[in-house]
Amino acid sequence: MSNASPRPLSIAAASPLRGTVTVPGDKSISHRSLMFAGLAVGESRIRGLLEGEDVLATAAAMRAMGADIVREDDGSWTVHGVGVGGLLQPQTALDMGNSGTSTRLLMGLVASHPITATFVGDASLSKRPMARVTEPLAMMGADFTTSPGGRLPLTMRGLCPAVPIAYTLPIASAQVKSAILLAGLNTPGITRVIEPVPTRDHSERMLRGFGADLIVEETPEGRVISITGEATLKPQSIDVPGDPSSAGFWMVAASIVPGSNITIRNVLMNPTRTGLVAALRLMGASIEAVDTRDVGGESVADLRVRHASLSGIEVPADLAPSMIDEYPILFVAAAFARGITVARGAHELRVKESDRIATMAAALTLAGVSVTEHEDGLTIEGRDGEPLAGTGGDRVASLLDHRIAMSMAVAGMHSREAVLIDDAAPIATSYPAFIDTATSLGAAPQWVAA
């Protein structure tokens, strides 16, 4: 999982994008479905699970700690959980591949169990800081031995019973919030997380659906999430909606490629996840939500997206938490807009799979876009709908980051000459069918020799 061979990709303008897309299941919900079902007592069934490498890393880790997880012939997954407090000692290191979500949330689970676990990952994940999670979990009693800089590989020893805490998030992070709440599941008393800036709320919604005693309150200090520990989770039947982060690539692709008209089916429209839709609409994108409906407590819709002339904007900073993973593809949209786009307030991008601010600045510059880098984002001078010139035979450095690779592949869909990407193999971590889907819509990606 952690040592895939590089797969360079070439892509240039072909034809308008037309057709219907079904994107993979939402990654955030897929991770949590496996974890929470693995802690429930009884059998849960999951349909629409994202079968990318990141989610499969979560499945493997939960199996290693005792959960019985099986993919059925019809593509659904069944999970027989061990019960809260029932995680077993893993016999080998837990290989997280490239998945920061798997790592941070599973550390939360382990923190309140009497087990020791070692977490390892690929070169990209091993560069990402873990202190934002280890610090609050250490306050609850977990003990950590980390690599220099608080990074992977790391070994943690959980404490049972752990100590409940009230923790105010210093930065907006759904992963940190979720890790603390998951540690609180097996901790006597009430564990509280205070988030001054709201973040995606899938953990709260799903934990309540599984039967956890969880309360969310709005206060002057922010949103307070309280979970009562020593919980009993009940098995569930889960239908995972389409990932809005994956849908974002096609929203932008259809917006920038002249003549395009596509429909994206079954997209999660949770209000904590729709920042990209809001930003693109502010830029003038034609995105129509059709057949909005409720699926398992989450809002879902089909999105019809047509080519439109985009205009540069100052991206509202309050959208950042609801689109933090979508900034790379938003930067691509800005590259084709009329005028200047300023996208700031996204410090978190510096510590994703790559430094996504610096990596996208370098990639777009190589493709001929005028970019100014800031500590918390980019200012981009758009090309007013004109295609890119290409990368002149040079290769964009994806730095093992799936979203960089896919974002620059979308940029290449409106480029006179080829945009070359040094390694598109990481795309498999979140969207294994991305290349095939691009081809089916009319794009022309090609694998090239390393």
Side-chain angles (χ1 to χ4, degrees), residues 376-394:
D376 60 346
L378 298 178
T379 294
I380 298 171
E381 184 177 339
R383 297 174 59 85
D384 195 11
E386 290 297 313
L388 300 179
T391 55
D394 293 324

Side-chain angles (χ1 to χ4, degrees), residues 290-329:
V290 180
D291 189 21
T292 300
R293 54 206 183 269
D294 184 272
V295 177
E298 294 278 9
S299 179
V300 172
D302 301 333
L303 299 179
R304 184 179 182 189
V305 189
R306 287 169 280 194
H307 172 254
S309 297
L310 304 181
S311 298
I313 62 169
E314 184 166 345
V315 180
D318 61 2
L319 290 180
S322 62
M323 59 179 285
I324 196 66
D325 286 331
E326 288 81 71
Y327 269 88
I329 193 61

